Amino acid sequence: MVSVDGSIVLQIANFLLLIWILNMVLYKPIRKILLARKEKMVGMQSDIEGCAQQVQSKETAYADGVRQARAAGQKEKETLMQAAAEEEKAIIGKINESAQSELKVVKEKITQEMATVKATLEKEIDAFAEAIGQKILGRVA
């Protein structure tokens, strides 16, 4: 059995002194380190959140920039396509004008040659008629 005597007061005092010494030497520094670590973690967490917000805003800005660049590129493409279509029309118009002028020259040349051949044939029509007539009648000249 345990007997309660005067040494119990000494044991309680010894226990309280040990707790106070452990608190000063061991527990307070550990609590300070844990508190500093907690503050550091909170600070890092806020930095992480700030960086995440910056990344999100930069991604949004990047997406907007890409969208604007695509829109500008599409407008530029449409402008170039319209300019190319106008240039194509101009080139086709020039080719048509050139072809029409060449056709007119060729028609005039054919008309002149036809008139020349007609005049030549009209001069020789009497000789052709006489030669045909002699062949039909059976005379040889």
Side-chain angles (χ1 to χ4, degrees), residues 32-101:
K32 284 181 184 178
I33 291 171
L34 289 175
L35 184 61
R37 186 173 127 198
K38 184 177 181 181
E39 290 174 358
K40 187 176 182 180
M41 294 296 278
V42 168
M44 285 182 175
Q45 185 66 28
S46 65
D47 288 346
I48 289 171
E49 290 171 0
C51 288
Q53 289 175 351
Q54 285 180 350
V55 166
Q56 183 66 29
S57 66
K58 286 182 181 182
E59 284 178 352
T60 304
Y62 175 76
D64 289 342
V66 167
R67 201 173 306 113
Q68 289 174 355
R70 283 184 180 162
Q74 186 66 26
K75 286 180 182 179
E76 183 69 23
K77 179 182 173 184
E78 290 173 2
T79 303
L80 291 174
M81 291 294 284
Q82 189 175 22
E86 291 174 4
E87 187 175 343
E88 179 184 16
K89 286 179 184 178
I91 290 172
I92 289 174
K94 288 178 183 178
I95 290 172
N96 282 339
E97 289 176 11
S98 174
Q100 291 295 327
S101 64

Side-chain angles (χ1 to χ4, degrees), residues 21-37:
I21 291 172
L22 283 175
N23 191 24
M24 295 300 282
V25 173
L26 187 63
Y27 297 138
K28 278 189 180 180
I30 289 175
R31 276 191 238 145
K32 284 181 184 178
I33 291 171
L34 289 175
L35 184 61
R37 186 173 127 198

Side-chain angles (χ1 to χ4, degrees), residues 70-132:
R70 283 184 180 162
Q74 186 66 26
K75 286 180 182 179
E76 183 69 23
K77 179 182 173 184
E78 290 173 2
T79 303
L80 291 174
M81 291 294 284
Q82 189 175 22
E86 291 174 4
E87 187 175 343
E88 179 184 16
K89 286 179 184 178
I91 290 172
I92 289 174
K94 288 178 183 178
I95 290 172
N96 282 339
E97 289 176 11
S98 174
Q100 291 295 327
S101 64
E102 287 179 19
L103 181 64
K104 186 176 179 182
V105 169
V106 169
K107 282 183 180 180
E108 289 176 1
K109 187 175 180 181
I110 289 174
T111 305
Q112 289 173 355
E113 288 179 2
M114 194 169 72
T116 305
V117 169
K118 187 176 181 181
T120 305
L121 287 177
E122 284 179 358
K123 289 180 185 176
E124 297 178 2
I125 199 163
D126 289 333
F128 286 139
E130 187 177 327
I132 291 173

